[in-house]
Amino acid sequence: MTNNLKVLRAIKNISQEELSNKIEVSRQTINAMEKGKYVPSTVLALKLARFFEISVEEIFTLETTD
């Protein structure tokens, strides 16, 4: 799964720490998601979508191996 969290943060001009505080996770969780080392739960994905006011699909892309 890939994501564009880093780009979305840049657009809103917020740090990993600020985002983590807004959605109540650790900064390390945001960092791991941005690096593709952590796949968020459905609840976390929805919190991010709500924060950025976009759909989950606009943040995360499922990579398939066809």
Side-chain angles (χ1 to χ4, degrees):
M1 181 177 294
T2 60
N3 68 71
N4 61 356
L5 284 176
K6 192 171 186 176
V7 172
L8 292 168
R9 279 193 312 100
I11 291 168
K12 283 209 177 234
N13 195 31
I14 62 170
S15 67
Q16 288 180 344
E17 187 73 30
E18 290 169 316
L19 178 57
S20 69
N21 289 336
K22 294 282 187 185
I23 62 170
E24 300 175 325
V25 297
S26 71
R27 185 199 57 78
Q28 291 84 356
T29 298
I30 301 299
N31 187 47
M33 279 191 292
E34 287 184 2
K35 291 183 175 185
K37 295 181 179 180
Y38 178 76
V39 176
S41 67
T42 304
V43 171
L44 180 51
L46 289 169
K47 282 183 177 183
L48 287 163
R50 182 175 289 163
F51 175 79
F52 288 111
E53 299 177 327
I54 58 178
S55 70
V56 171
E57 292 83 2
E58 291 176 274
I59 303 172
F60 299 98
T61 304
L62 183 61
E63 294 176 338
T64 58
T65 53
D66 291 350

